[in-house]
Amino acid sequence: MKSILTLALILFATLLNAQESIPISLENVLKLGGANNLTIKEFQERQNLAAAHAAKAKEWWLPEFYAGAQTHQYWGAAMNGNGNFFLDVNRNNLWLGLGLKANWNFAEGIYAAKAAKFRNRASVHRTEAEKNKTLLKSITIYYELMSAQLNFIAYSNLVKQADTIAQQIQIQVEAGKRYESEMLLAKSNRNHLKLEMLNAQKMYRQASAELLKQLNLAQSIKLVSVDSSLMPLDYTLELTSISEELYKNRGEIKAKELEIKSLQIQKKNFTTGLLIPQLSIGANTSYFGKLNDNVDPMDPIRYTSPDQLYPTSTINASLLWQIPLGAFIYKGDSKKYSSLIRLKKIETEQLKAFINEEITRASIQVKTGKQQIEIAKEALKLSSEALKQSIERQQFGTAKPFEVFQTQQFYIQSQIDYLKVVSEFNTAQFTLKVAKGETL
Protein backbone atom coordinates (compact mmCIF):
# COMPACT_ATOMS: atom_id res chain seq x y z
CA MET A 1 0.00 0.00 0.00
CA LYS A 2 2.89 2.35 0.81
CA SER A 3 4.39 1.71 -2.63
CA ILE A 4 1.10 2.40 -4.37
CA LEU A 5 0.59 5.64 -2.43
CA THR A 6 4.13 6.75 -3.17
CA LEU A 7 3.63 5.98 -6.84
CA ALA A 8 0.39 7.95 -6.96
CA LEU A 9 1.96 10.96 -5.24
CA ILE A 10 4.98 10.98 -7.57
CA LEU A 11 2.85 10.78 -10.69
CA PHE A 12 0.39 13.35 -9.39
CA ALA A 13 3.13 15.84 -8.55
CA THR A 14 5.28 15.43 -11.64
CA LEU A 15 3.10 14.04 -14.43
CA LEU A 16 -0.57 14.78 -14.15
CA ASN A 17 -0.38 18.57 -13.98
CA ALA A 18 -3.75 18.93 -12.28
CA GLN A 19 -5.41 16.55 -14.76
CA GLU A 20 -7.84 13.95 -13.48
CA SER A 21 -6.22 10.54 -13.07
CA ILE A 22 -7.79 7.13 -12.72
CA PRO A 23 -6.07 3.94 -11.52
CA ILE A 24 -5.85 1.14 -14.04
CA SER A 25 -4.90 -2.52 -13.84
CA LEU A 26 -4.74 -5.39 -16.30
CA GLU A 27 -8.12 -6.60 -15.09
CA ASN A 28 -9.64 -3.15 -15.66
CA VAL A 29 -8.13 -3.02 -19.14
CA LEU A 30 -9.81 -6.30 -20.09
CA LYS A 31 -13.16 -5.18 -18.67
CA LEU A 32 -13.11 -1.68 -20.15
CA GLY A 33 -11.73 -2.91 -23.46
CA GLY A 34 -14.52 -5.44 -23.85
CA ALA A 35 -17.19 -2.89 -23.00
CA ASN A 36 -16.01 0.40 -24.52
CA ASN A 37 -13.71 -0.31 -27.45
CA LEU A 38 -15.19 1.11 -30.65
CA THR A 39 -13.80 -1.66 -32.86
CA ILE A 40 -15.51 -4.28 -30.73
CA LYS A 41 -18.73 -2.24 -30.78
CA GLU A 42 -18.49 -2.01 -34.57
CA PHE A 43 -18.18 -5.77 -34.99
CA GLN A 44 -20.97 -6.36 -32.47
CA GLU A 45 -23.20 -4.09 -34.53
CA ARG A 46 -22.14 -5.93 -37.70
CA GLN A 47 -23.17 -9.11 -35.92
CA ASN A 48 -26.56 -7.53 -35.18
CA LEU A 49 -26.84 -6.56 -38.85
CA ALA A 50 -26.11 -10.13 -39.94
CA ALA A 51 -28.76 -11.37 -37.52
CA ALA A 52 -31.23 -8.89 -39.01
CA HIS A 53 -30.46 -10.17 -42.53
CA ALA A 54 -31.01 -13.72 -41.30
CA ALA A 55 -34.36 -12.72 -39.79
CA LYS A 56 -35.32 -10.96 -43.01
CA ALA A 57 -34.48 -14.05 -45.06
CA LYS A 58 -37.01 -16.03 -43.02
CA GLU A 59 -39.89 -13.78 -44.14
CA TRP A 60 -40.00 -15.16 -47.70
CA TRP A 61 -42.89 -17.58 -47.09
CA LEU A 62 -45.22 -15.10 -45.37
CA PRO A 63 -48.01 -13.64 -47.58
CA GLU A 64 -48.80 -9.95 -47.92
CA PHE A 65 -52.21 -8.63 -46.84
CA TYR A 66 -53.68 -5.41 -48.09
CA ALA A 67 -56.86 -3.45 -47.39
CA GLY A 68 -58.26 -0.04 -48.22
CA ALA A 69 -60.10 1.97 -50.82
CA GLN A 70 -59.31 2.81 -54.43
CA THR A 71 -61.13 5.22 -56.70
CA HIS A 72 -60.87 5.63 -60.44
CA GLN A 73 -62.01 8.48 -62.73
CA TYR A 74 -61.78 8.43 -66.53
CA TRP A 75 -62.88 11.03 -69.11
CA GLY A 76 -62.76 11.04 -72.92
CA ALA A 77 -62.71 8.31 -75.55
CA ALA A 78 -62.47 4.57 -74.88
CA MET A 79 -62.21 1.53 -77.14
CA ASN A 80 -64.43 -1.45 -76.68
CA GLY A 81 -63.21 -5.02 -76.96
CA ASN A 82 -64.38 -5.35 -80.59
CA GLY A 83 -62.60 -2.17 -81.65
CA ASN A 84 -65.46 0.32 -81.47
CA PHE A 85 -64.87 3.76 -79.94
CA PHE A 86 -67.05 5.37 -77.31
CA LEU A 87 -66.83 9.15 -77.03
CA ASP A 88 -67.47 11.44 -74.10
CA VAL A 89 -66.92 8.61 -71.63
CA ASN A 90 -67.20 9.57 -67.95
CA ARG A 91 -66.15 6.50 -65.98
CA ASN A 92 -65.81 6.49 -62.22
CA ASN A 93 -65.74 3.62 -59.77
CA LEU A 94 -64.81 2.72 -56.23
CA TRP A 95 -63.10 -0.37 -54.78
CA LEU A 96 -63.40 -1.12 -51.07
CA GLY A 97 -62.01 -4.36 -49.72
CA LEU A 98 -59.09 -6.46 -48.59
CA GLY A 99 -56.87 -9.05 -50.20
CA LEU A 100 -53.86 -11.30 -50.00
CA LYS A 101 -50.83 -11.72 -52.26
CA ALA A 102 -48.19 -14.41 -51.98
CA ASN A 103 -45.31 -15.32 -54.27
CA TRP A 104 -43.25 -18.30 -53.15
CA ASN A 105 -39.90 -18.74 -54.86
CA PHE A 106 -39.10 -21.95 -53.01
CA ALA A 107 -35.53 -22.27 -54.25
CA GLU A 108 -34.50 -18.69 -53.45
CA GLY A 109 -36.42 -18.61 -50.19
CA ILE A 110 -35.06 -21.86 -48.76
CA TYR A 111 -31.47 -21.39 -49.89
CA ALA A 112 -31.34 -17.68 -49.03
CA ALA A 113 -32.56 -18.35 -45.49
CA LYS A 114 -29.98 -21.11 -44.95
CA ALA A 115 -27.17 -18.99 -46.43
CA ALA A 116 -28.11 -16.03 -44.22
CA LYS A 117 -28.10 -18.32 -41.19
CA PHE A 118 -24.52 -19.41 -41.95
CA ARG A 119 -23.45 -15.80 -42.53
CA ASN A 120 -24.94 -14.81 -39.20
CA ARG A 121 -23.01 -17.57 -37.40
CA ALA A 122 -19.84 -16.51 -39.24
CA SER A 123 -20.37 -12.94 -38.03
CA VAL A 124 -20.51 -14.18 -34.43
CA HIS A 125 -17.12 -15.86 -34.80
CA ARG A 126 -15.61 -12.81 -36.54
CA THR A 127 -16.75 -10.63 -33.65
CA GLU A 128 -15.23 -13.07 -31.18
CA ALA A 129 -11.91 -13.08 -33.08
CA GLU A 130 -11.82 -9.30 -33.41
CA LYS A 131 -12.55 -8.89 -29.71
CA ASN A 132 -9.59 -11.12 -28.89
CA LYS A 133 -7.30 -9.11 -31.17
CA THR A 134 -8.50 -5.82 -29.73
CA LEU A 135 -8.06 -6.94 -26.14
CA LEU A 136 -4.58 -8.24 -26.99
CA LYS A 137 -3.69 -4.81 -28.36
CA SER A 138 -5.02 -3.19 -25.17
CA ILE A 139 -2.87 -5.55 -23.08
CA THR A 140 0.22 -4.69 -25.12
CA ILE A 141 -0.38 -0.95 -24.67
CA TYR A 142 -1.00 -1.44 -20.94
CA TYR A 143 2.38 -3.10 -20.50
CA GLU A 144 4.00 -0.25 -22.45
CA LEU A 145 2.28 2.21 -20.10
CA MET A 146 3.38 0.28 -17.03
CA SER A 147 6.99 -0.03 -18.22
CA ALA A 148 7.22 3.69 -19.01
CA GLN A 149 5.69 4.53 -15.64
CA LEU A 150 8.16 2.36 -13.74
CA ASN A 151 11.04 3.69 -15.83
CA PHE A 152 10.01 7.21 -14.90
CA ILE A 153 9.97 6.32 -11.21
CA ALA A 154 13.41 4.68 -11.48
CA TYR A 155 14.87 7.73 -13.20
CA SER A 156 13.21 10.00 -10.63
CA ASN A 157 14.96 8.12 -7.83
CA LEU A 158 18.28 8.31 -9.66
CA VAL A 159 17.86 12.05 -10.21
CA LYS A 160 17.37 12.48 -6.46
CA GLN A 161 20.48 10.40 -5.80
CA ALA A 162 22.47 12.37 -8.37
CA ASP A 163 21.33 15.64 -6.85
CA THR A 164 22.39 14.49 -3.39
CA ILE A 165 25.78 13.33 -4.71
CA ALA A 166 26.28 16.65 -6.51
CA GLN A 167 25.56 18.53 -3.27
CA GLN A 168 28.01 16.33 -1.35
CA ILE A 169 30.74 16.85 -3.94
CA GLN A 170 30.04 20.62 -3.87
CA ILE A 171 30.76 20.62 -0.15
CA GLN A 172 33.88 18.50 -0.64
CA VAL A 173 35.12 20.85 -3.38
CA GLU A 174 34.63 23.86 -1.14
CA ALA A 175 36.59 22.01 1.56
CA GLY A 176 39.39 21.35 -0.93
CA LYS A 177 38.91 17.57 -0.90
CA ARG A 178 37.59 17.26 -4.50
CA TYR A 179 38.37 18.79 -7.83
CA GLU A 180 35.90 21.18 -9.43
CA SER A 181 35.82 18.97 -12.53
CA GLU A 182 34.29 16.21 -10.40
CA MET A 183 31.50 18.57 -9.33
CA LEU A 184 30.88 19.56 -12.97
CA LEU A 185 30.77 15.91 -13.94
CA ALA A 186 28.24 15.24 -11.19
CA LYS A 187 25.98 18.06 -12.38
CA SER A 188 26.28 16.88 -15.97
CA ASN A 189 25.27 13.35 -14.91
CA ARG A 190 22.30 14.75 -13.00
CA ASN A 191 21.11 16.66 -16.07
CA HIS A 192 21.54 13.56 -18.24
CA LEU A 193 19.34 11.59 -15.86
CA LYS A 194 16.76 14.40 -15.92
CA LEU A 195 16.64 14.20 -19.72
CA GLU A 196 16.10 10.44 -19.55
CA MET A 197 13.41 10.97 -16.91
CA LEU A 198 11.61 13.44 -19.20
CA ASN A 199 11.91 10.94 -22.06
CA ALA A 200 10.30 8.27 -19.85
CA GLN A 201 7.61 10.83 -18.97
CA LYS A 202 6.96 11.39 -22.69
CA MET A 203 6.70 7.64 -23.30
CA TYR A 204 4.29 7.38 -20.38
CA ARG A 205 2.08 10.18 -21.74
CA GLN A 206 2.03 8.65 -25.20
CA ALA A 207 1.13 5.20 -23.85
CA SER A 208 -1.58 6.74 -21.68
CA ALA A 209 -3.08 8.60 -24.66
CA GLU A 210 -2.99 5.46 -26.81
CA LEU A 211 -4.62 3.34 -24.13
CA LEU A 212 -7.30 6.00 -23.57
CA LYS A 213 -8.07 5.85 -27.28
CA GLN A 214 -8.11 2.06 -27.21
CA LEU A 215 -10.51 2.02 -24.25
CA ASN A 216 -12.63 4.85 -25.72
CA LEU A 217 -12.04 7.14 -22.73
CA ALA A 218 -11.65 10.92 -22.65
CA GLN A 219 -8.16 12.26 -23.36
CA SER A 220 -8.57 14.79 -20.54
CA ILE A 221 -7.68 12.14 -17.96
CA LYS A 222 -4.48 10.23 -17.26
CA LEU A 223 -4.18 6.53 -16.57
CA VAL A 224 -2.01 5.39 -13.66
CA SER A 225 -1.10 1.73 -13.26
CA VAL A 226 -1.78 0.51 -9.73
CA ASP A 227 0.86 -2.21 -10.06
CA SER A 228 3.97 -1.08 -8.19
CA SER A 229 6.13 -3.72 -9.88
CA LEU A 230 6.09 -5.66 -13.12
CA MET A 231 6.08 -9.39 -12.45
CA PRO A 232 6.31 -12.17 -15.05
CA LEU A 233 3.16 -14.19 -15.61
CA ASP A 234 3.37 -17.92 -16.07
CA TYR A 235 0.50 -19.82 -17.66
CA THR A 236 2.80 -22.77 -18.39
CA LEU A 237 2.08 -22.44 -22.08
CA GLU A 238 4.29 -24.73 -24.13
CA LEU A 239 4.95 -25.12 -27.82
CA THR A 240 2.63 -27.81 -29.07
CA SER A 241 2.16 -29.52 -32.41
CA ILE A 242 -0.26 -27.64 -34.65
CA SER A 243 -3.24 -29.74 -35.69
CA GLU A 244 -6.55 -29.22 -37.47
CA GLU A 245 -8.29 -29.23 -34.09
CA LEU A 246 -6.23 -26.22 -33.07
CA TYR A 247 -7.31 -24.35 -36.22
CA LYS A 248 -10.93 -24.98 -35.36
CA ASN A 249 -10.49 -23.07 -32.11
CA ARG A 250 -9.81 -19.87 -34.02
CA GLY A 251 -12.85 -17.70 -34.65
CA GLU A 252 -11.45 -16.59 -38.01
CA ILE A 253 -11.26 -20.19 -39.26
CA LYS A 254 -14.78 -20.91 -38.01
CA ALA A 255 -16.03 -17.82 -39.82
CA LYS A 256 -14.32 -18.82 -43.08
CA GLU A 257 -15.79 -22.32 -42.95
CA LEU A 258 -19.29 -20.95 -42.39
CA GLU A 259 -18.85 -18.42 -45.20
CA ILE A 260 -17.92 -21.29 -47.53
CA LYS A 261 -21.06 -23.18 -46.49
CA SER A 262 -23.12 -20.05 -47.14
CA LEU A 263 -21.70 -19.74 -50.66
CA GLN A 264 -22.33 -23.45 -51.32
CA ILE A 265 -25.97 -22.97 -50.33
CA GLN A 266 -26.30 -19.88 -52.51
CA LYS A 267 -24.83 -21.78 -55.45
CA LYS A 268 -27.66 -24.34 -55.23
CA ASN A 269 -30.08 -21.58 -56.16
CA PHE A 270 -28.57 -21.69 -59.67
CA THR A 271 -28.26 -25.48 -59.98
CA THR A 272 -30.87 -27.68 -58.31
CA GLY A 273 -32.90 -24.58 -57.47
CA LEU A 274 -33.70 -24.05 -61.15
CA LEU A 275 -35.82 -27.20 -61.08
CA ILE A 276 -38.04 -25.93 -58.26
CA PRO A 277 -41.19 -24.06 -59.38
CA GLN A 278 -42.58 -20.76 -58.12
CA LEU A 279 -46.06 -20.58 -56.62
CA SER A 280 -48.13 -17.39 -56.75
CA ILE A 281 -51.52 -16.84 -55.13
CA GLY A 282 -53.65 -13.71 -55.07
CA ALA A 283 -57.12 -13.27 -53.61
CA ASN A 284 -59.36 -10.38 -52.64
CA THR A 285 -62.91 -9.59 -51.71
CA SER A 286 -64.44 -6.13 -51.98
CA TYR A 287 -67.31 -3.84 -52.82
CA PHE A 288 -67.01 -2.44 -56.33
CA GLY A 289 -69.29 -0.13 -58.19
CA LYS A 290 -70.12 3.16 -59.86
CA LEU A 291 -69.81 6.36 -57.87
CA ASN A 292 -72.81 8.47 -57.17
CA ASP A 293 -72.43 11.52 -59.49
CA ASN A 294 -75.46 13.31 -58.05
CA VAL A 295 -73.83 13.97 -54.74
CA ASP A 296 -71.21 16.55 -53.80
CA PRO A 297 -67.75 14.97 -54.46
CA MET A 298 -66.69 15.95 -50.95
CA ASP A 299 -69.66 14.14 -49.40
CA PRO A 300 -68.62 10.68 -47.99
CA ILE A 301 -72.06 9.30 -48.95
CA ARG A 302 -70.96 9.56 -52.60
CA TYR A 303 -68.52 6.75 -51.95
CA THR A 304 -70.69 4.58 -49.77
CA SER A 305 -74.09 4.56 -51.39
CA PRO A 306 -75.33 0.94 -51.11
CA ASP A 307 -77.20 1.05 -54.38
CA GLN A 308 -73.97 1.88 -56.25
CA LEU A 309 -71.64 -0.79 -54.73
CA TYR A 310 -71.68 -4.56 -55.36
CA PRO A 311 -69.78 -7.39 -53.68
CA THR A 312 -67.06 -9.04 -55.76
CA SER A 313 -64.28 -11.58 -55.10
CA THR A 314 -61.36 -12.90 -57.12
CA ILE A 315 -58.67 -15.51 -56.74
CA ASN A 316 -55.61 -16.16 -58.94
CA ALA A 317 -53.05 -18.91 -58.63
CA SER A 318 -50.09 -20.08 -60.69
CA LEU A 319 -47.38 -22.73 -60.44
CA LEU A 320 -44.58 -21.93 -62.88
CA TRP A 321 -41.13 -23.22 -63.70
CA GLN A 322 -38.82 -20.43 -64.83
CA ILE A 323 -35.85 -22.00 -66.54
CA PRO A 324 -33.28 -19.54 -67.96
CA LEU A 325 -31.41 -21.23 -70.81
CA GLY A 326 -28.27 -19.22 -70.04
CA ALA A 327 -28.00 -20.88 -66.65
CA PHE A 328 -27.84 -24.30 -68.36
CA ILE A 329 -25.68 -23.35 -71.34
CA TYR A 330 -23.14 -20.88 -69.95
CA LYS A 331 -23.63 -21.53 -66.21
CA GLY A 332 -22.41 -18.03 -65.34
CA ASP A 333 -23.88 -17.82 -61.83
CA SER A 334 -22.79 -21.35 -60.94
CA LYS A 335 -19.24 -20.64 -62.11
CA LYS A 336 -19.20 -17.37 -60.19
CA TYR A 337 -20.07 -19.06 -56.91
CA SER A 338 -17.61 -21.90 -57.59
CA SER A 339 -14.88 -19.28 -57.97
CA LEU A 340 -15.96 -17.48 -54.79
CA ILE A 341 -15.84 -20.78 -52.88
CA ARG A 342 -12.33 -21.53 -54.15
CA LEU A 343 -11.20 -18.03 -53.14
CA LYS A 344 -12.56 -18.56 -49.63
CA LYS A 345 -10.72 -21.87 -49.38
CA ILE A 346 -7.48 -20.19 -50.48
CA GLU A 347 -8.05 -17.48 -47.86
CA THR A 348 -8.55 -20.22 -45.27
CA GLU A 349 -5.24 -21.86 -46.16
CA GLN A 350 -3.50 -18.48 -46.02
CA LEU A 351 -5.01 -17.89 -42.61
CA LYS A 352 -3.78 -21.28 -41.40
CA ALA A 353 -0.27 -20.42 -42.56
CA PHE A 354 -0.47 -17.15 -40.68
CA ILE A 355 -1.69 -18.96 -37.55
CA ASN A 356 1.25 -21.39 -37.83
CA GLU A 357 3.68 -18.50 -37.92
CA GLU A 358 1.82 -16.67 -35.14
CA ILE A 359 1.92 -19.66 -32.78
CA THR A 360 5.55 -20.44 -33.55
CA ARG A 361 6.66 -16.84 -33.05
CA ALA A 362 4.75 -16.46 -29.78
CA SER A 363 6.02 -19.82 -28.49
CA ILE A 364 9.61 -18.83 -29.22
CA GLN A 365 9.09 -15.52 -27.43
CA VAL A 366 7.69 -17.29 -24.38
CA LYS A 367 10.46 -19.87 -24.28
CA THR A 368 13.23 -17.31 -24.84
CA GLY A 369 11.56 -14.85 -22.48
CA LYS A 370 11.92 -17.25 -19.55
CA GLN A 371 15.67 -17.36 -20.08
CA GLN A 372 15.90 -13.61 -20.59
CA ILE A 373 14.01 -12.89 -17.39
CA GLU A 374 16.42 -14.95 -15.29
CA ILE A 375 19.41 -13.18 -16.81
CA ALA A 376 17.82 -9.72 -16.48
CA LYS A 377 16.74 -10.42 -12.90
CA GLU A 378 20.26 -11.40 -11.90
CA ALA A 379 21.74 -8.37 -13.69
CA LEU A 380 19.30 -6.07 -11.91
CA LYS A 381 20.12 -7.61 -8.55
CA LEU A 382 23.86 -7.26 -9.13
CA SER A 383 23.67 -3.70 -10.41
CA SER A 384 21.37 -2.69 -7.56
CA GLU A 385 23.81 -4.04 -4.98
CA ALA A 386 26.74 -2.43 -6.81
CA LEU A 387 24.94 0.94 -6.81
CA LYS A 388 24.22 0.64 -3.11
CA GLN A 389 27.87 -0.10 -2.31
CA SER A 390 29.13 2.66 -4.62
CA ILE A 391 26.96 5.25 -2.92
CA GLU A 392 28.14 4.09 0.49
CA ARG A 393 31.77 4.31 -0.65
CA GLN A 394 31.17 7.73 -2.14
CA GLN A 395 29.76 8.95 1.18
CA PHE A 396 32.99 7.83 2.88
CA GLY A 397 35.07 9.37 0.13
CA THR A 398 36.56 6.10 -1.09
CA ALA A 399 34.82 6.03 -4.48
CA LYS A 400 35.31 8.36 -7.40
CA PRO A 401 32.15 10.17 -8.58
CA PHE A 402 32.44 8.79 -12.11
CA GLU A 403 32.36 5.27 -10.61
CA VAL A 404 29.01 6.05 -9.00
CA PHE A 405 27.70 7.60 -12.23
CA GLN A 406 28.78 4.58 -14.23
CA THR A 407 27.12 2.27 -11.68
CA GLN A 408 23.91 4.30 -11.98
CA GLN A 409 23.96 3.81 -15.73
CA PHE A 410 24.44 0.07 -15.33
CA TYR A 411 21.60 -0.05 -12.80
CA ILE A 412 19.08 1.90 -14.89
CA GLN A 413 19.94 -0.09 -18.00
CA SER A 414 19.42 -3.31 -16.04
CA GLN A 415 16.08 -1.93 -14.84
CA ILE A 416 15.02 -1.05 -18.40
CA ASP A 417 16.16 -4.46 -19.69
CA TYR A 418 14.23 -6.26 -16.98
CA LEU A 419 11.02 -4.31 -17.57
CA LYS A 420 11.35 -4.83 -21.32
CA VAL A 421 11.84 -8.60 -21.22
CA VAL A 422 9.08 -9.10 -18.62
CA SER A 423 6.68 -6.93 -20.61
CA GLU A 424 7.45 -8.82 -23.84
CA PHE A 425 7.22 -12.17 -22.04
CA ASN A 426 3.80 -11.38 -20.56
CA THR A 427 2.51 -10.01 -23.85
CA ALA A 428 3.82 -13.10 -25.69
CA GLN A 429 1.83 -15.36 -23.38
CA PHE A 430 -1.38 -13.50 -24.14
CA THR A 431 -0.47 -13.58 -27.84
CA LEU A 432 0.02 -17.35 -27.66
CA LYS A 433 -3.34 -17.77 -25.91
CA VAL A 434 -5.07 -15.86 -28.72
CA ALA A 435 -3.07 -17.71 -31.40
CA LYS A 436 -4.22 -21.05 -29.99
CA GLY A 437 -7.85 -19.90 -30.10
CA GLU A 438 -8.39 -19.24 -26.39
CA THR A 439 -10.70 -16.42 -25.39
CA LEU A 440 -9.35 -13.50 -23.40
Side-chain angles (χ1 to χ4, degrees):
M1 180 61 69
K2 182 178 179 181
S3 299
I4 294 175
L5 290 175
T6 302
L7 170 61
L9 289 173
I10 291 174
L11 291 175
F12 180 81
T14 60
L15 286 177
L16 303 185
N17 297 327
Q19 288 181 298
E20 180 187 358
S21 63
I22 60 173
I24 195 76
S25 66
L26 184 59
E27 183 180 2
N28 298 140
V29 167
L30 292 173
K31 289 181 179 179
L32 290 172
N36 292 343
N37 183 267
L38 293 177
T39 302
I40 293 178
K41 288 184 176 181
E42 176 191 350
F43 273 82
Q44 288 175 338
E45 195 55 43
R46 290 183 182 278
Q47 179 180 328
N48 293 336
L49 180 61
H53 282 303
K56 178 66 178 177
K58 295 177 182 178
E59 299 175 3
W60 70 273
W61 63 276
L62 294 173
E64 175 185 327
F65 288 93
Y66 59 92
Q70 182 178 346
T71 183
H72 171 77
Q73 181 72 52
Y74 184 90
W75 294 281
M79 178 183 286
N80 196 15
N82 60 5
N84 293 328
F85 279 96
F86 294 90
L87 304 180
D88 298 324
V89 172
N90 184 1
R91 183 172 65 203
N92 53 77
N93 58 57
L94 175 70
W95 182 94
L96 294 172
L98 55 87
L100 174 148
K101 291 192 299 184
N103 183 24
W104 289 292
N105 186 332
F106 295 105
E108 183 177 348
I110 295 172
Y111 296 141
K114 287 184 177 180
K117 180 180 178 181
F118 284 125
R119 287 195 299 271
N120 181 35
R121 289 170 56 190
S123 177
V124 173
H125 292 300
R126 279 198 302 270
T127 301
E128 173 189 292
E130 192 62 32
K131 182 177 180 180
N132 259 1
K133 290 180 182 178
T134 302
L135 290 178
L136 180 59
K137 183 177 180 181
S138 299
I139 291 169
T140 302
I141 300 172
Y142 171 75
Y143 278 119
E144 292 174 357
L145 169 74
M146 190 177 176
S147 296
Q149 181 176 300
L150 294 175
N151 280 338
F152 172 79
I153 295 172
Y155 274 114
S156 299
N157 292 333
L158 289 182
V159 168
K160 292 178 182 178
Q161 287 180 358
D163 192 56
T164 301
I165 292 172
Q167 292 175 8
Q168 292 173 352
I169 294 175
Q170 176 72 36
I171 295 172
Q172 292 171 350
V173 169
E174 293 173 354
K177 296 180 179 181
R178 293 283 187 185
Y179 294 107
E180 185 178 2
S181 61
E182 292 178 324
M183 179 192 67
L184 297 175
L185 184 60
K187 290 183 177 180
S188 175
N189 179 67
R190 179 190 60 190
N191 287 344
H192 169 72
L193 292 174
K194 282 185 177 180
L195 287 175
E196 294 298 330
M197 181 185 71
L198 290 174
N199 187 55
Q201 179 188 37
K202 179 183 69 175
M203 299 300 293
Y204 162 79
R205 288 181 180 275
Q206 291 174 346
S208 176
E210 190 174 1
L211 189 55
L212 286 170
K213 175 187 175 183
Q214 186 72 5
L215 300 179
N216 193 27
L217 299 175
Q219 288 291 335
S220 59
I221 62 178
K222 292 293 181 183
L223 298 174
V224 180
S225 173
V226 298
D227 298 314
S228 59
S229 62
L230 182 56
M231 301 298 294
L233 304 174
D234 193 358
Y235 293 121
T236 62
L237 296 173
E238 299 293 340
L239 177 62
T240 58
S241 59
I242 302 174
S243 63
E244 287 295 326
E245 289 301 319
L246 188 145
Y247 293 136
K248 292 180 180 179
N249 292 333
R250 290 289 294 259
E252 301 95 322
I253 294 294
K254 294 177 182 177
K256 291 291 183 184
E257 291 176 346
L258 289 169
E259 287 170 357
I260 290 173
K261 289 182 179 180
S262 175
L263 290 172
Q264 290 171 338
I265 293 296
Q266 288 177 278
K267 180 183 176 181
K268 289 183 178 180
N269 193 44
F270 303 99
T271 54
T272 56
L274 296 176
L275 303 178
I276 301 177
Q278 297 182 23
L279 174 63
S280 297
I281 295 178
N284 68 74
T285 181
S286 67
Y287 279 96
F288 183 74
K290 188 175 184 299
L291 300 178
N292 189 347
D293 294 324
N294 299 322
V295 182
D296 185 349
M298 301 304 296
D299 190 340
I301 299 178
R302 177 174 183 256
Y303 299 98
T304 58
S305 177
D307 59 344
Q308 298 290 324
L309 298 175
Y310 307 95
T312 180
S313 299
T314 60
I315 184 168
N316 298 290
S318 65
L319 182 66
L320 301 175
W321 280 264
Q322 294 184 350
I323 305 175
L325 294 179
F328 286 97
I329 298 174
Y330 298 108
K331 301 180 180 180
D333 289 310
S334 178
K335 291 179 179 178
K336 180 183 74 173
Y337 278 97
S338 294
S339 181
L340 289 173
I341 291 169
R342 287 193 296 270
L343 285 173
K344 285 294 180 182
K345 289 181 177 180
I346 292 172
E347 291 174 4
T348 303
E349 293 303 314
Q350 291 174 331
L351 184 55
K352 288 180 179 179
F354 173 79
I355 292 173
N356 289 343
E357 188 267 341
E358 196 175 45
I359 292 175
T360 302
R361 185 177 65 247
S363 298
I364 292 172
Q365 289 175 342
V366 169
K367 185 177 181 180
T368 306
K370 290 181 179 180
Q371 300 172 343
Q372 290 176 321
I373 287 173
E374 293 303 318
I375 296 172
K377 185 189 298 184
E378 183 180 3
L380 181 59
K381 180 180 178 182
L382 294 173
S383 61
S384 177
E385 182 62 28
L387 179 60
K388 177 182 176 183
Q389 293 182 16
S390 295
I391 292 175
E392 291 175 351
R393 289 175 56 216
Q394 192 277 333
Q395 291 172 348
F396 289 109
T398 60
K400 297 292 183 180
F402 75 87
E403 295 178 4
V404 179
F405 305 152
Q406 189 177 39
T407 307
Q408 284 181 324
Q409 292 299 323
F410 282 129
Y411 168 75
I412 193 62
Q413 188 59 52
S414 297
Q415 172 88 343
I416 293 172
D417 289 342
Y418 177 77
L419 293 175
K420 183 175 183 292
V421 297
V422 172
S423 178
E424 291 178 349
F425 174 74
N426 289 353
T427 303
Q429 291 200 76
F430 283 106
T431 302
L432 185 55
K433 285 171 68 71
V434 172
K436 293 171 66 176
E438 298 182 32
T439 302
L440 295 179

